[in-house]
Amino acid sequence: MNTSSRRRPLWMLTAPAAALTLGLTACGGGSDDVDTEDISGSITYWASNQGTSISNDEEILQESIDRFTEETGVEVDLEVIPWSDLQNRILTAISSGDGPDVLNIGNTWAVSMQSSGAFIPWEGDALEAVGGEDRFIESSWATGGAEGEAPTSIPLYGLSYSMYYNTEIFEENGIDEPPATWEEFVDVAEELTQDTDGDGSTDQWGFTLAGSSITNNAHAAFIRGLQHGGELYTEDGDPDFANDEVVAGVNEWVQLMGENGVTSPSNAELVEGSESVAEVADGNAAMVFDQAPGNTFKSRDFENYEAAPMPMLDADATGLEGTQSHVAGINISVFDNSDNKDAAVAFVSHLTSDDEQIYLNENFTALPVVTAAYDDEAFQTDEIQLKQEILENHAEPMPLYPSEAQMEAAVGAAIQDLFADIAQGSSVTEDDVRQALEDAQSQM
């Protein structure tokens, strides 16, 4: 499916989103010409946590930074920020005017961040400095801002959801291949939810998830809603969280812990996707949906896993119903109030160069966002080719409206609360799901 075909006009700001527009005007003509021979000084860089730990990120990124400093003489002050803190840190930096020169953002926040006017647009000389739009994967580039406006973030790491499963657990139970439909998935998950040691309590679960991850929950609502044929916004850009199709998708998601009983109630407390990935590596669960679990598996010396597409209602579904992921990934931006824009733009150019894309994405088990990097042998594996196929043909951008970040917070928290209710012993019905999503919509 053509991921760029669903881009819509910029929706007017909601009142809460408008409050973030604080008079920080982006420079309309782009950066001045970037000449690495003339740049100097230092810049600050806020990076998102991509690896197994903050220290793991620092080690990987410092190698790339050292190459940049050796080439340009520019020092880079690095801070790696956990995902749980990143958005609030960015919003505080926007409101205070006291932020880094360069920062990573989740690409689903791009339009919300763009509406603040706090970041330079990638056009003119700034765009030329990174080699132009054509170097980048089309679907990833489309996440950088609202249609008809120069993007204020550009892709850095590409990601897509896949289903990962413990092959040892599958083999022990005589399951030869991963489930392709949601019905098959639930059946397999029920079969693999077991009391393996005979003590009367379940110690192996069919599926694991991070029930307290706001972003993961919002992604699930988006993907599962599309698979049912529903969207989180109307064509006019109005929030529409509680339509029948989205409610059906979210209900199926929460019932994995509820009626289906294939997910441990303790998963309601998991905050990071890496925590649920660890459940598969440790043999506590058979399957998980994740974007880039490789570092978590690697840190546990775990090799008994395979990747497969996320199950759909119909294995042959196409169009929106064939969605298996959002166009996931990490983008990078430069603050307009940076005192060293030329160096900041040069640093972004360095991180998105072919060689650094190969180095960074191989180490972070992510997908390059520049087409030339895919020629490298590191990205010829079955898993990477599967994720490429998903990203290019079975992924849709999260809603491209300024209120998208607010939507993620509201919908994600609503689903988090539903999981908490189930974990505490309450029975959650489809009507409860609808009410929770209606309440989330009212917050907008």
Side-chain angles (χ1 to χ4, degrees), residues 221 225 228 230-232 240-251 437:
H228 279 270
E231 303 189 50
L232 292 166
D240 188 25
F241 305 160
N243 62 70
D244 291 345
E245 293 78 16
V246 171
V247 169
V250 171
N251 187 54
L437 293 174

Side-chain angles (χ1 to χ4, degrees), residues 68-82:
F68 175 73
T69 300
E70 182 178 356
E71 178 185 352
T72 65
V74 175
E75 298 290 337
V76 179
D77 182 13
L78 169 69
E79 181 180 359
V80 180
I81 301 176

Side-chain angles (χ1 to χ4, degrees), residues 157-432:
Y157 310 125
L159 297 166
S160 65
Y161 272 102
S162 302
M163 184 179 75
Y164 289 85
Y165 60 99
N166 185 311
T167 54
E168 188 174 12
I169 292 177
F170 268 54
E171 289 169 3
E172 288 174 351
N173 289 272
I175 301 173
D176 297 327
E177 55 187 20
T181 68
W182 190 261
E183 183 178 3
E184 291 170 356
F185 163 69
V186 172
D187 288 344
V188 169
E190 289 176 345
E191 181 179 349
L192 297 180
T193 299
Q194 301 173 4
D195 171 15
T196 63
D197 59 11
D199 69 352
S201 61
T202 301
D203 51 36
Q204 175 183 288
W205 299 87
F207 183 70
T208 179
L209 52 81
S212 281
S213 170
I214 299 297
T215 53
N216 284 8
N217 286 334
H219 297 162
F222 175 72
I223 296 167
R224 299 290 304 134
L226 287 178
Q227 288 190 359
H228 279 270
E231 303 189 50
L232 292 166
Y233 286 77
T234 68
E235 291 185 359
D236 295 327
D238 297 318
D240 188 25
F241 305 160
N243 62 70
D244 291 345
E245 293 78 16
V246 171
V247 169
V250 171
N251 187 54
E252 288 175 345
W253 182 245
V254 300
Q255 296 308 339
L256 294 173
M257 186 182 292
E259 290 180 5
N260 301 132
V262 299
T263 296
S264 171
S266 66
N267 282 186
E269 299 178 358
L270 300 187
V271 177
E272 301 287 346
S274 59
E275 295 177 302
S276 56
V277 171
E279 293 284 282
V280 172
D282 294 341
N284 298 325
M287 295 178 284
V288 67
F289 300 158
D290 199 70
Q291 299 176 43
N295 279 317
T296 302
F297 287 151
K298 184 178 180 180
S299 69
R300 284 169 162 71
D301 295 323
F302 179 69
E303 298 179 351
N304 297 324
Y305 72 92
E306 294 286 349
M310 188 181 291
M312 301 181 291
L313 294 180
D314 180 345
D316 298 319
T318 59
L320 298 184
E321 288 83 357
T323 303
Q324 295 171 323
S325 179
H326 71 290
V327 179
I330 313 305
N331 286 6
I332 191 165
S333 295
V334 171
F335 263 102
D336 183 55
N337 65 358
S338 166
D339 293 328
N340 201 352
K341 279 184 202 171
D342 283 352
V345 170
F347 182 57
V348 174
S349 178
H350 168 77
L351 294 177
T352 55
S353 67
D354 293 350
D355 288 344
E356 294 304 321
Q357 278 288 291
I358 292 169
Y359 166 76
L360 291 168
N361 285 285
E362 181 178 6
N363 278 278
F364 287 136
T365 63
L367 302 174
V369 295
V370 297
T371 56
Y374 281 97
D375 293 336
D376 189 86
E377 64 179 355
F379 305 106
Q380 305 306 311
T381 65
D382 291 343
E383 178 184 348
I384 292 297
Q385 291 180 352
L386 167 69
K387 295 180 84 65
Q388 258 190 288
E389 162 67 16
I390 293 169
L391 190 61
E392 292 178 2
N393 297 309
H394 288 275
E396 290 287 335
M398 291 288 281
L400 295 171
Y401 300 113
S403 64
E404 195 282 337
Q406 187 185 4
M407 176 278 291
E408 283 196 27
V411 171
I415 298 173
Q416 177 188 35
D417 290 344
L418 291 169
F419 279 129
D421 289 343
I422 294 170
Q424 293 167 9
S426 297
S427 176
V428 169
T429 67
E430 186 169 334
D431 286 340
D432 294 327

